[in-house]
Amino acid sequence: MKLSEIRIICFSPTGTSAKVATGVAEGVGDIPVVKTDLTRETSKESVPREALAIIAVPVYGGKVAPLALKRMEQIKGNDTPAVLIVVYGNRAYGEALNELDVWAGTHGFRPIAAGTFVGEHSYSTSEFPIAQGRPNEQDMAYARVFGEKIRRKIESGEELAAVDVKRITRPKQSLLSLIRFIVAVMKWRKQQVPMQRSPKVDPERCVQCGACAAVCPVEIIASDGKTLTEEGCIKCCACVKRCPHQARSFDTPFRQLLWKNFKKAKMPQTIL
């Protein structure tokens, strides 16, 4: 099969999903790349059969970010070969890859490869780093090698059979850490511990530069940095991470809990 283009389709508030997808595309080779970034808008398009779609999304709570699925709803393939990628914050990706596989199958895509990668967690801070700096150089090298393997599969001349994403290797996880995490979360729910609903702004630090408004996927931040409404905030923390003056913060007890129980770095896994 001769590819006409690589179509990157991504939802990536903090840039990690897009970065991994780009690394895979680089590994596939010198083929024209068309990028559809759904982070701030919906797109309606048809991806040709001769293209290779690289579909990359973040994982929120063990599932594909709901807004990502909503933004992808009007994108259709034409029996288009696809690479499915989920990026999670070093805890677990749950059913996200299976969920993305179902979406692909019902929207005209044929997954010929899939991967799970780690990206810096939305809640990560310098005090409680959770997969900080990921995807790192090692991850990106892995992504490029993955792309090279995909290219060889396409050029082999054999039929591009769909992969069973359920057979991908799951990262190892300490049972004790997982139990501690689950028990803590159940306790908070039982006690109805109040949780911050959206990032807060420090008026003494904010210079109203508009950087936060420019990256908010749901557009609930005004150009002066004020949050218009907490409704719709997906807690991606893009505004927190992109603020050049550290004027925004999102305080959550999950941060320390995740840092404590999921320190061991998980590695990317792929199947093709």
Side-chain angles (χ1 to χ4, degrees):
M1 176 182 178
K2 185 174 178 58
L3 296 177
S4 61
E5 65 181 52
I6 296 174
R7 185 75 60 94
I8 293 178
I9 300 168
C10 63
F11 177 84
S12 189
T14 58
T16 53
S17 299
K19 185 175 181 180
V20 172
T22 299
V24 175
E26 289 172 353
V28 173
D30 189 18
I31 299 169
V33 175
V34 178
K35 183 178 180 181
T36 299
D37 190 339
L38 303 168
T39 306
R40 288 179 54 86
E41 60 186 4
T42 299
S43 178
K44 182 179 181 180
E45 56 189 82
S46 178
V47 184
R49 181 171 183 156
E50 298 76 22
L52 174 68
I54 301 177
I55 306 168
V57 295
V59 177
Y60 293 168
K63 293 182 175 293
V64 175
L67 185 57
L69 290 176
K70 183 177 180 180
R71 295 265 168 92
M72 294 192 301
E73 187 55 38
Q74 297 188 68
I75 293 180
K76 307 292 183 183
N78 295 275
D79 194 33
T80 307
V83 181
L84 308 182
I85 296 171
V86 296
V87 180
Y88 67 107
N90 202 55
R91 183 183 74 83
Y93 58 86
E95 292 302 310
L97 186 58
N98 295 337
E99 191 178 15
L100 187 59
D101 182 54
V102 170
W103 176 88
T106 57
H107 285 73
F109 293 94
R110 180 163 38 95
I112 64 166
T116 61
F117 286 77
V118 173
E120 181 173 316
H121 200 285
S122 298
Y123 299 163
S124 177
T125 63
S126 57
E127 183 180 7
F128 298 111
I130 311 164
Q132 194 169 48
R134 309 239 354 235
N136 54 28
E137 264 310 308
Q138 183 180 354
D139 296 319
M140 295 308 296
Y142 191 101
R144 289 187 286 270
V145 170
F146 181 40
E148 292 170 4
K149 291 178 180 178
I150 293 168
R151 183 189 68 238
R152 288 197 292 270
K153 179 176 180 176
I154 292 171
E155 293 177 347
S156 68
E158 299 178 4
E159 182 181 355
L160 290 178
V163 296
D164 180 359
V165 302
K166 293 180 180 179
R167 296 182 62 186
I168 196 168
T169 302
R170 290 265 180 176
K172 293 181 179 180
Q173 173 61 53
S174 164
L175 182 58
L176 180 59
S177 295
L178 184 59
I179 291 173
R180 282 199 301 250
F181 178 81
I182 293 172
V183 169
V185 173
M186 291 177 66
K187 182 179 179 180
W188 292 341
R189 288 177 178 172
K190 185 177 181 180
Q191 297 176 345
Q192 296 184 331
V193 175
M195 300 285 180
Q196 189 170 317
R197 296 177 62 188
S198 67
K200 303 299 182 183
V201 61
D202 182 347
E204 294 186 0
R205 287 178 174 268
C206 180
V207 299
Q208 301 182 4
C209 66
C212 52
V215 298
C216 179
V218 289
E219 299 182 350
I220 59 172
I221 304 175
S223 59
D224 61 2
K226 294 180 180 179
T227 302
L228 302 173
T229 175
E230 291 185 332
E231 295 298 325
C233 177
I234 61 173
K235 302 179 181 65
C236 65
C237 293
C239 62
V240 176
K241 294 182 181 294
R242 300 290 180 87
C243 177
H245 304 284
Q246 293 78 53
R248 299 183 71 85
S249 62
F250 184 73
D251 296 321
T252 170
F254 276 99
R255 176 178 292 118
Q256 189 168 357
L257 186 65
L258 289 164
W259 169 78
K260 181 178 180 179
N261 291 293
F262 303 102
K263 289 183 179 180
K264 185 176 180 181
K266 295 182 173 67
M267 295 296 106
Q269 300 291 341
T270 56
I271 187 170
L272 73 166

